[in-house]
Amino acid sequence: MIPTHHPSDDYLIAYAAGSLEEPLSLVVATHLALCPRCRKEVERLEALGGVLLEDEAAAETATDERALDSVLSRLDAPAPIAPGPIAPGPIATGPIATAPKPRQAAPGDLRVPAPLRDYLGGGLEQLDWKAHKGFDEAELLSDAPGFRTRLMRIKSGTAMPAHTHRGNELTLVLTGGFSDEHGHFLRGDLAEADASVKHQPIADPGEDCICLAVTDAPLRLTGPVGRLLNPFLRI
Amino acid sequence: MLNALATEARPGVVPAKAALVIRPRQEIQRLMRAEASERAAEQTPEELIAAVAEQRDREAFIGLFRLFAPRIKAYLMRQGADPASAEDLVQDVMLTVWHRAGQFDRRKAAVSTWIFTIARNRRIDTLRRIRRPEFDPEDPALVREPETAPDAHVEASERSKRLHEAVATLPKEQESLLRLVYFEDKSHSVIAEELGLPLGTVKSRLRLAMAKLRAALETLE
């Protein structure tokens, strides 16, 4: 199944340029694992990076001969340890340059593709889920300032409390699906919401809907019950 | 040299004086090096990297170094690296190019693309000290395209060439915005603030630029 809801250009560009913060990169890269269309788009954006690099200041400094000598003198030394991975991230030189990695016998939970899998420290079931009414949540990447990164598990057929956002929210569906005012989202689909969006996601019947959600500011609950809960419950 | 002789033979044209004087040794060496890099310049980066991968060809590597090292350095310095650490990183990137030339796949990427991703990732590791999550192409959970990618039959370097031409035709404001976005390691909202533009304008300019670049690529497919 190929996703139909994709990240907007500016997220993909920032990802390809390497200027996207880690929590947002995590959502984008996990979407990429599920979306051949966006993988191709990122390949193009990286090609654009290469083109801009080629163009970069042909007028800049001529080759530094000392640097060249230094590199030439080190060519015969054994290859240094591959740059990265900085655990738990994957190899640091891009998919193109990635050395083949030994495959683990058990690929783990196929519902969760890399790179998200590396952040779970075990399976979905081993996470520290906190129960709320109608949904559970588990926090990831709690050390990234300015962002909340969570897995949400909405019980099949139930509605989340209606809410708006103070900042932007990216939600990537991993299992099941949900609908809100803006569409129907299935595995691999990415929903973007900003401060102007008020929505009430309802999980599809059948399977619990597990999503990866990143917000760059806490959500704001709306509606009578939500307003009541607001001081106590940060969704 | 042949050209100089031809000029000399033509009546009424004063021969270039430099072609006739006996050059000092240093000058000859300089010319030889220049010719060596000219030979390198005649080969495409793809050919140079193949020579590095297959024959461990140092001349070819020098050609790549001359082509990319100053650009990688400029790129890193625009990202805020000081000259010394930019220099270290450039050497690092070029050594990675030497060691991993065998992994370069010209069907997937142009050399400039490949080197850009290496430089970008080394920069993130070293200067930003954060992780950049990436999908794993070998992951059994990866969702693959049902049929062959439409791009697959076009050389990656041809696509890059087309992109290059398309970038040159972009309105100045879109082109310089792309450079800011790729080279200054700032979020789009910070860029918008610095340009004194609403974030929406920055985003729509980027979208316009991308639409044009995409259209240029699609004529290849």
Side-chain angles (χ1 to χ4, degrees), chain B residues 139-190:
Chain B
D139 186 356
L142 196 82
V143 174
R144 283 164 213 288
E145 193 103 50
E147 64 247 51
T148 358
D151 276 5
H153 65 282
V154 188
E155 273 282 296
S157 60
E158 182 58 33
R159 290 201 301 275
S160 279
K161 200 170 138 244
R162 191 62 66 92
L163 260 180
H164 196 264
E165 292 160 3
V167 167
T169 65
L170 289 178
K172 193 73 202 138
E173 61 189 29
Q174 289 173 20
E175 193 211 327
S176 56
L177 182 59
L178 276 182
R179 279 178 206 285
L180 275 181
V181 163
Y182 269 86
F183 291 147
E184 307 245 320
D185 196 19
K186 287 172 186 155
S187 73
H188 298 174
S189 45
V190 170

Side-chain angles (χ1 to χ4, degrees), chain A residues 1 9-10 13-20 22 25-26 29 32-34 36 39-41 44-56 58 60-61 63-65 67-68 70-72 74-77 79-80 82-83 86-99 101 103 107 110 113-115 117 119, chain B residues 33 58 61-62 65-66 68 70-72 74-75 78 87 91 95 98-100 103 108-109 112-118 120-125 128 130-146 149-151 160 163-164 167 178-179 181-183 185-186 188 203 206-207 210 213-214 217-218 221:
Chain A
M1 186 179 58
D9 276 353
D10 43 311
I13 292 171
Y15 180 77
S19 58
L20 204 57
E22 185 176 354
S25 281
L26 177 62
L32 291 180
L34 300 174
R39 284 204 297 276
K40 186 188 299 281
E41 193 60 26
R44 288 171 169 185
L45 291 166
E46 288 177 338
L48 177 58
V51 162
L52 296 172
L53 178 67
E54 270 182 317
D55 265 3
E56 177 71 349
E60 287 280 337
T61 44
T63 308
D64 180 342
E65 296 296 319
L68 176 57
S70 159
V71 169
L72 289 177
R74 286 189 286 157
L75 291 186
D76 292 326
I86 311 175
I91 295 264
T93 33
I96 295 160
T98 301
K101 280 184 263 178
R103 292 306 327 158
L110 287 185
R117 195 189 304 132
Y119 283 78
Chain B
R33 288 177 71 150
R58 279 161 195 259
F61 178 74
I62 293 173
F65 191 98
R66 290 196 197 286
F68 285 103
R71 294 177 166 85
I72 300 168
Y75 165 69
R78 281 178 63 156
E87 191 54 65
Q91 297 192 20
L95 277 170
W98 171 262
H99 289 299
R100 298 198 179 181
Q103 292 170 25
K108 275 192 179 164
S112 61
T113 309
W114 187 60
I115 292 182
F116 167 74
T117 60
I118 294 174
R120 175 197 66 196
N121 292 350
R122 293 299 289 137
R123 167 182 73 78
I124 295 173
D125 286 353
R128 296 189 81 194
I130 62 163
R131 293 191 293 259
R132 180 176 186 273
E134 288 184 345
F135 66 89
D136 173 1
E138 308 292 322
D139 186 356
L142 196 82
V143 174
R144 283 164 213 288
E145 193 103 50
D151 276 5
S160 279
L163 260 180
H164 196 264
V167 167
L178 276 182
R179 279 178 206 285
V181 163
Y182 269 86
F183 291 147
D185 196 19
K186 287 172 186 155
H188 298 174
K203 288 187 178 185
L206 280 176
R207 258 191 288 278
M210 290 318 301
L213 298 182
R214 236 174 251 133
L217 287 177
E218 260 139 37
E221 283 157 15

